[in-house]
Amino acid sequence: GVCSACREIADGRSLDVIEIDGASNRGIDEIRTLRENVKFAPLNGRCKVYIIDEVHMLTAEAFNALLKTLEEPPAYVKFVFATTQPQKVLPTILSRCQRFDFVRIPNLKIIEKLKEISRQETVSIDQDVFLAIAKAAEGSLRDAESILDQMFSFSQQEIRLSDVIAVLGIIEPDMFYGFVERVTAHDIAGGIDLVAALVGQGKDAHTFLEGLLEYYRHLMVLKVARASAERLIDLPGEAIKKMLRQSEALTLADIMTSISHIFAAQEMARKMRSAGIPLEVLAVKLAHIGGKRSASVGTSSPAAPAKPPAPEVRDVRPSAPVKGSPAPPPADPAAPAASSMIPDPPSSVCFSIEEVKEKWAALLQNLSQVKMSLATYLREASPVLLEKDMLTIGFPKGAVFFKEALAHKDNMKILEGALNAVMNGSLRLKLEIVDGLSASREPAVAEQDDPFIKSALDLFQGKVIKKA
């Protein structure tokens, strides 16, 4: 920073350091001009440096025109390419460059630098101000220093958090804490009041949802990686302690469900003009997560306990006595009627495995009318064993997917209902993979004629249901 070359570069008047905006000079004509200028030697320095900012904005033709110069540049020429999207730069260009990745500066390091500057300027600044500026800078120390310089001009004596909020239009960090505090306590009215205050201040709903999503991300990290929280959450220790208490009041499932609701609110906010409605809906959803909820408007007297249902009394008349059988004993007038006290015994019809196999086609037909996919899965299986009221249905080794799909609780309920309707009985089911069992399916014509369909069927263990 002392010699004439350094001062010229710092002042932006050096003829040997040329900065080019790739976004506005992205065509092949501009690159041709650059190639012609490269031939001229530097005036003062030892090197001639071309800095192309946002180089990913160059067209493919411009990149190709630049490629020859990159491969065989003059000894005194250096190129510096800067971009935020290196994946858009052609691989042929990247292979001829040395890559240096600049990462974002952590908020805590930015806060340390801002405190050092404030001590040199002898300006009174609230501690919350440093965190707000660091988060607004998004990892850029230059932006953070620029914001702090604006705050010095805005308020020369002392800087408060309200000043930063007014200048930058950001959302106060305590707003997220207060919102989560309310919905975690199932305070729906409090959550909606906070949303109304947010909208009344003219805050952007998208900005609030992004900040809230980041807040729940911190809660998730505290739940699953508490020991590494200080490394994974780029916030001061005081803020982490406040979040820790909230994370302990929530389960991991609650936090993940909340994140899903925030994503849904973001989608709703994109489609609606109203900023308040998506946030109000979100407040109601989050307040109903986890535990027992009792959200009501106003007060009311507790409801009287419901009376237990009266026992069902069956009016079953005795059948006529069979000839030759002993007459029943006379009824005791003091004893209650037997038919009103003893429930009917369950049906216990016995079947054989052969009877089940005979009605297997009828079961498939019945099941296809209820849920076609279940009938398709069951076609790969066959009944193999019947013990008392337990029917075992076997699947070949290649039909594990179908067995697992049928084993779902809801599917098993449908399957048992269809089976008992066909058999006119009460059977229970058990699904098993049976060694040596082959799938009972007949190859369709399409499988033999079309090799593409055949390969797809073999890959997914499928079957042609209907040929159009």
mmCIF file of all heavy atoms in Angstrom, residues 281-312:
data_model
loop_
_atom_site.group_PDB
_atom_site.id
_atom_site.type_symbol
_atom_site.label_atom_id
_atom_site.label_comp_id
_atom_site.label_asym_id
_atom_site.label_seq_id
_atom_site.Cartn_x
_atom_site.Cartn_y
_atom_site.Cartn_z
ATOM 1 N N VAL A 281 -52.594 -18.845 9.798
ATOM 2 C CA VAL A 281 -52.830 -20.291 9.650
ATOM 3 C C VAL A 281 -51.672 -21.078 10.249
ATOM 4 O O VAL A 281 -51.871 -22.097 10.930
ATOM 5 C CB VAL A 281 -53.026 -20.640 8.155
ATOM 6 C CG1 VAL A 281 -53.087 -22.152 7.969
ATOM 7 C CG2 VAL A 281 -54.295 -19.997 7.624
ATOM 8 N N LEU A 282 -50.471 -20.597 10.025
ATOM 9 C CA LEU A 282 -49.293 -21.271 10.585
ATOM 10 C C LEU A 282 -49.325 -21.240 12.105
ATOM 11 O O LEU A 282 -49.003 -22.247 12.756
ATOM 12 C CB LEU A 282 -48.026 -20.592 10.073
ATOM 13 C CG LEU A 282 -46.704 -21.134 10.625
ATOM 14 C CD1 LEU A 282 -46.497 -22.581 10.206
ATOM 15 C CD2 LEU A 282 -45.530 -20.282 10.168
ATOM 16 N N ALA A 283 -49.701 -20.107 12.702
ATOM 17 C CA ALA A 283 -49.768 -20.012 14.164
ATOM 18 C C ALA A 283 -50.747 -21.022 14.737
ATOM 19 O O ALA A 283 -50.474 -21.675 15.758
ATOM 20 C CB ALA A 283 -50.159 -18.583 14.573
ATOM 21 N N VAL A 284 -51.894 -21.200 14.081
ATOM 22 C CA VAL A 284 -52.890 -22.166 14.562
ATOM 23 C C VAL A 284 -52.358 -23.590 14.437
ATOM 24 O O VAL A 284 -52.503 -24.416 15.347
ATOM 25 C CB VAL A 284 -54.207 -22.002 13.780
ATOM 26 C CG1 VAL A 284 -55.210 -23.091 14.166
ATOM 27 C CG2 VAL A 284 -54.811 -20.625 14.032
ATOM 28 N N LYS A 285 -51.710 -23.905 13.306
ATOM 29 C CA LYS A 285 -51.174 -25.258 13.106
ATOM 30 C C LYS A 285 -50.092 -25.583 14.133
ATOM 31 O O LYS A 285 -50.093 -26.674 14.724
ATOM 32 C CB LYS A 285 -50.607 -25.393 11.692
ATOM 33 C CG LYS A 285 -51.654 -25.494 10.604
ATOM 34 C CD LYS A 285 -50.986 -25.707 9.249
ATOM 35 C CE LYS A 285 -51.997 -25.906 8.149
ATOM 36 N NZ LYS A 285 -51.341 -26.109 6.831
ATOM 37 N N LEU A 286 -49.175 -24.651 14.351
ATOM 38 C CA LEU A 286 -48.068 -24.916 15.273
ATOM 39 C C LEU A 286 -48.564 -25.035 16.708
ATOM 40 O O LEU A 286 -47.981 -25.770 17.511
ATOM 41 C CB LEU A 286 -47.017 -23.806 15.173
ATOM 42 C CG LEU A 286 -46.302 -23.664 13.824
ATOM 43 C CD1 LEU A 286 -45.216 -22.604 13.916
ATOM 44 C CD2 LEU A 286 -45.696 -24.981 13.385
ATOM 45 N N ALA A 287 -49.628 -24.303 17.050
ATOM 46 C CA ALA A 287 -50.151 -24.371 18.412
ATOM 47 C C ALA A 287 -50.854 -25.683 18.690
ATOM 48 O O ALA A 287 -51.116 -26.003 19.858
ATOM 49 C CB ALA A 287 -51.112 -23.203 18.665
ATOM 50 N N HIS A 288 -51.173 -26.447 17.655
ATOM 51 C CA HIS A 288 -51.853 -27.734 17.842
ATOM 52 C C HIS A 288 -50.908 -28.917 17.690
ATOM 53 O O HIS A 288 -51.342 -30.045 17.506
ATOM 54 C CB HIS A 288 -53.004 -27.870 16.835
ATOM 55 C CG HIS A 288 -54.234 -27.111 17.226
ATOM 56 N ND1 HIS A 288 -54.356 -25.757 17.014
ATOM 57 C CD2 HIS A 288 -55.373 -27.525 17.827
ATOM 58 C CE1 HIS A 288 -55.541 -25.367 17.452
ATOM 59 N NE2 HIS A 288 -56.166 -26.403 17.949
ATOM 60 N N ILE A 289 -49.617 -28.677 17.777
ATOM 61 C CA ILE A 289 -48.637 -29.761 17.622
ATOM 62 C C ILE A 289 -48.270 -30.310 18.990
ATOM 63 O O ILE A 289 -47.952 -29.554 19.905
ATOM 64 C CB ILE A 289 -47.373 -29.249 16.907
ATOM 65 C CG1 ILE A 289 -47.687 -28.947 15.441
ATOM 66 C CG2 ILE A 289 -46.249 -30.267 16.990
ATOM 67 C CD1 ILE A 289 -46.512 -28.390 14.685
ATOM 68 N N GLY A 290 -48.295 -31.625 19.120
ATOM 69 C CA GLY A 290 -47.805 -32.291 20.331
ATOM 70 C C GLY A 290 -48.709 -32.129 21.524
ATOM 71 O O GLY A 290 -49.251 -31.065 21.797
ATOM 72 N N GLY A 291 -48.891 -33.190 22.276
ATOM 73 C CA GLY A 291 -49.630 -33.123 23.527
ATOM 74 C C GLY A 291 -51.113 -32.925 23.297
ATOM 75 O O GLY A 291 -51.644 -32.926 22.201
ATOM 76 N N LYS A 292 -51.843 -32.722 24.411
ATOM 77 C CA LYS A 292 -53.278 -32.490 24.360
ATOM 78 C C LYS A 292 -53.534 -31.002 24.249
ATOM 79 O O LYS A 292 -53.003 -30.210 25.004
ATOM 80 C CB LYS A 292 -53.965 -33.056 25.610
ATOM 81 C CG LYS A 292 -53.857 -34.568 25.726
ATOM 82 C CD LYS A 292 -54.585 -35.063 26.941
ATOM 83 C CE LYS A 292 -54.510 -36.588 27.051
ATOM 84 N NZ LYS A 292 -55.209 -37.090 28.238
ATOM 85 N N ARG A 293 -54.389 -30.632 23.304
ATOM 86 C CA ARG A 293 -54.725 -29.247 23.085
ATOM 87 C C ARG A 293 -56.153 -28.986 23.545
ATOM 88 O O ARG A 293 -57.031 -29.824 23.394
ATOM 89 C CB ARG A 293 -54.639 -28.901 21.605
ATOM 90 C CG ARG A 293 -53.281 -28.474 21.053
ATOM 91 C CD ARG A 293 -52.128 -29.122 21.634
ATOM 92 N NE ARG A 293 -50.904 -28.798 20.902
ATOM 93 C CZ ARG A 293 -49.763 -29.316 21.211
ATOM 94 N NH1 ARG A 293 -49.652 -30.152 22.208
ATOM 95 N NH2 ARG A 293 -48.687 -28.992 20.542
ATOM 96 N N SER A 294 -56.375 -27.807 24.067
ATOM 97 C CA SER A 294 -57.724 -27.418 24.467
ATOM 98 C C SER A 294 -57.944 -25.980 24.039
ATOM 99 O O SER A 294 -58.133 -25.092 24.854
ATOM 100 C CB SER A 294 -57.925 -27.573 25.976
ATOM 101 O OG SER A 294 -56.981 -26.803 26.672
ATOM 102 N N ALA A 295 -57.830 -25.723 22.727
ATOM 103 C CA ALA A 295 -57.996 -24.367 22.219
ATOM 104 C C ALA A 295 -59.471 -24.080 22.053
ATOM 105 O O ALA A 295 -60.185 -24.788 21.363
ATOM 106 C CB ALA A 295 -57.287 -24.236 20.866
ATOM 107 N N SER A 296 -59.959 -23.054 22.717
ATOM 108 C CA SER A 296 -61.352 -22.687 22.627
ATOM 109 C C SER A 296 -61.469 -21.186 22.742
ATOM 110 O O SER A 296 -60.584 -20.506 23.238
ATOM 111 C CB SER A 296 -62.175 -23.373 23.724
ATOM 112 O OG SER A 296 -61.694 -22.994 24.994
ATOM 113 N N VAL A 297 -62.587 -20.654 22.268
ATOM 114 C CA VAL A 297 -62.851 -19.226 22.335
ATOM 115 C C VAL A 297 -63.837 -18.987 23.465
ATOM 116 O O VAL A 297 -64.926 -19.574 23.483
ATOM 117 C CB VAL A 297 -63.427 -18.722 20.993
ATOM 118 C CG1 VAL A 297 -63.723 -17.245 21.090
ATOM 119 C CG2 VAL A 297 -62.465 -19.008 19.871
ATOM 120 N N GLY A 298 -63.502 -18.127 24.424
ATOM 121 C CA GLY A 298 -64.373 -17.853 25.546
ATOM 122 C C GLY A 298 -64.307 -18.942 26.576
ATOM 123 O O GLY A 298 -63.464 -19.831 26.543
ATOM 124 N N THR A 299 -65.225 -18.913 27.541
ATOM 125 C CA THR A 299 -65.260 -19.908 28.608
ATOM 126 C C THR A 299 -66.614 -20.582 28.600
ATOM 127 O O THR A 299 -67.635 -20.006 28.212
ATOM 128 C CB THR A 299 -65.023 -19.251 29.971
ATOM 129 O OG1 THR A 299 -66.011 -18.244 30.180
ATOM 130 C CG2 THR A 299 -63.648 -18.617 30.024
ATOM 131 N N SER A 300 -66.651 -21.784 29.068
ATOM 132 C CA SER A 300 -67.900 -22.543 29.144
ATOM 133 C C SER A 300 -67.786 -23.510 30.283
ATOM 134 O O SER A 300 -66.705 -23.899 30.711
ATOM 135 C CB SER A 300 -68.172 -23.285 27.833
ATOM 136 O OG SER A 300 -67.125 -24.171 27.553
ATOM 137 N N SER A 301 -68.940 -23.923 30.795
ATOM 138 C CA SER A 301 -68.950 -24.856 31.915
ATOM 139 C C SER A 301 -68.535 -26.212 31.427
ATOM 140 O O SER A 301 -68.799 -26.587 30.286
ATOM 141 C CB SER A 301 -70.372 -24.932 32.508
ATOM 142 O OG SER A 301 -71.282 -25.329 31.497
ATOM 143 N N PRO A 302 -67.871 -26.977 32.267
ATOM 144 C CA PRO A 302 -67.431 -28.300 31.819
ATOM 145 C C PRO A 302 -68.603 -29.189 31.485
ATOM 146 O O PRO A 302 -69.643 -29.160 32.145
ATOM 147 C CB PRO A 302 -66.628 -28.820 33.033
ATOM 148 C CG PRO A 302 -67.117 -28.033 34.193
ATOM 149 C CD PRO A 302 -67.501 -26.695 33.666
ATOM 150 N N ALA A 303 -68.439 -29.975 30.469
ATOM 151 C CA ALA A 303 -69.523 -30.857 30.035
ATOM 152 C C ALA A 303 -69.717 -31.978 31.040
ATOM 153 O O ALA A 303 -68.780 -32.471 31.655
ATOM 154 C CB ALA A 303 -69.198 -31.438 28.655
ATOM 155 N N ALA A 304 -70.976 -32.374 31.193
ATOM 156 C CA ALA A 304 -71.284 -33.461 32.114
ATOM 157 C C ALA A 304 -70.776 -34.763 31.547
ATOM 158 O O ALA A 304 -70.764 -34.960 30.338
ATOM 159 C CB ALA A 304 -72.804 -33.552 32.304
ATOM 160 N N PRO A 305 -70.295 -35.648 32.397
ATOM 161 C CA PRO A 305 -69.768 -36.915 31.883
ATOM 162 C C PRO A 305 -70.844 -37.709 31.180
ATOM 163 O O PRO A 305 -71.995 -37.757 31.624
ATOM 164 C CB PRO A 305 -69.247 -37.620 33.152
ATOM 165 C CG PRO A 305 -69.973 -36.973 34.279
ATOM 166 C CD PRO A 305 -70.223 -35.564 33.869
ATOM 167 N N ALA A 306 -70.466 -38.308 30.107
ATOM 168 C CA ALA A 306 -71.437 -39.078 29.324
ATOM 169 C C ALA A 306 -71.825 -40.343 30.074
ATOM 170 O O ALA A 306 -71.008 -40.987 30.721
ATOM 171 C CB ALA A 306 -70.845 -39.431 27.969
ATOM 172 N N LYS A 307 -73.108 -40.696 29.985
ATOM 173 C CA LYS A 307 -73.583 -41.906 30.642
ATOM 174 C C LYS A 307 -73.108 -43.112 29.871
ATOM 175 O O LYS A 307 -73.067 -43.099 28.643
ATOM 176 C CB LYS A 307 -75.114 -41.900 30.698
ATOM 177 C CG LYS A 307 -75.671 -40.800 31.595
ATOM 178 C CD LYS A 307 -77.183 -40.879 31.627
ATOM 179 C CE LYS A 307 -77.765 -39.804 32.541
ATOM 180 N NZ LYS A 307 -79.240 -39.872 32.593
ATOM 181 N N PRO A 308 -72.729 -44.150 30.576
ATOM 182 C CA PRO A 308 -72.312 -45.357 29.855
ATOM 183 C C PRO A 308 -73.476 -45.947 29.085
ATOM 184 O O PRO A 308 -74.626 -45.868 29.527
ATOM 185 C CB PRO A 308 -71.846 -46.302 30.984
ATOM 186 C CG PRO A 308 -72.539 -45.809 32.206
ATOM 187 C CD PRO A 308 -72.695 -44.337 32.051
ATOM 188 N N PRO A 309 -73.240 -46.507 27.913
ATOM 189 C CA PRO A 309 -74.342 -47.061 27.119
ATOM 190 C C PRO A 309 -74.986 -48.233 27.828
ATOM 191 O O PRO A 309 -74.340 -49.028 28.493
ATOM 192 C CB PRO A 309 -73.649 -47.501 25.818
ATOM 193 C CG PRO A 309 -72.224 -47.703 26.198
ATOM 194 C CD PRO A 309 -71.946 -46.701 27.273
ATOM 195 N N ALA A 310 -76.286 -48.282 27.681
ATOM 196 C CA ALA A 310 -77.029 -49.366 28.314
ATOM 197 C C ALA A 310 -76.681 -50.689 27.660
ATOM 198 O O ALA A 310 -76.444 -50.738 26.454
ATOM 199 C CB ALA A 310 -78.538 -49.107 28.179
ATOM 200 N N PRO A 311 -76.616 -51.757 28.428
ATOM 201 C CA PRO A 311 -76.280 -53.052 27.822
ATOM 202 C C PRO A 311 -77.340 -53.489 26.836
ATOM 203 O O PRO A 311 -78.528 -53.272 27.054
ATOM 204 C CB PRO A 311 -76.188 -53.998 29.040
ATOM 205 C CG PRO A 311 -76.984 -53.336 30.099
ATOM 206 C CD PRO A 311 -76.841 -51.873 29.890
ATOM 207 N N GLU A 312 -76.861 -54.059 25.743
ATOM 208 C CA GLU A 312 -77.793 -54.510 24.704
ATOM 209 C C GLU A 312 -78.501 -55.776 25.163
ATOM 210 O O GLU A 312 -77.872 -56.737 25.590
ATOM 211 C CB GLU A 312 -77.010 -54.774 23.413
ATOM 212 C CG GLU A 312 -77.903 -55.225 22.278
ATOM 213 C CD GLU A 312 -77.108 -55.523 21.035
ATOM 214 O OE1 GLU A 312 -75.871 -55.380 21.096
ATOM 215 O OE2 GLU A 312 -77.716 -55.906 20.014
#
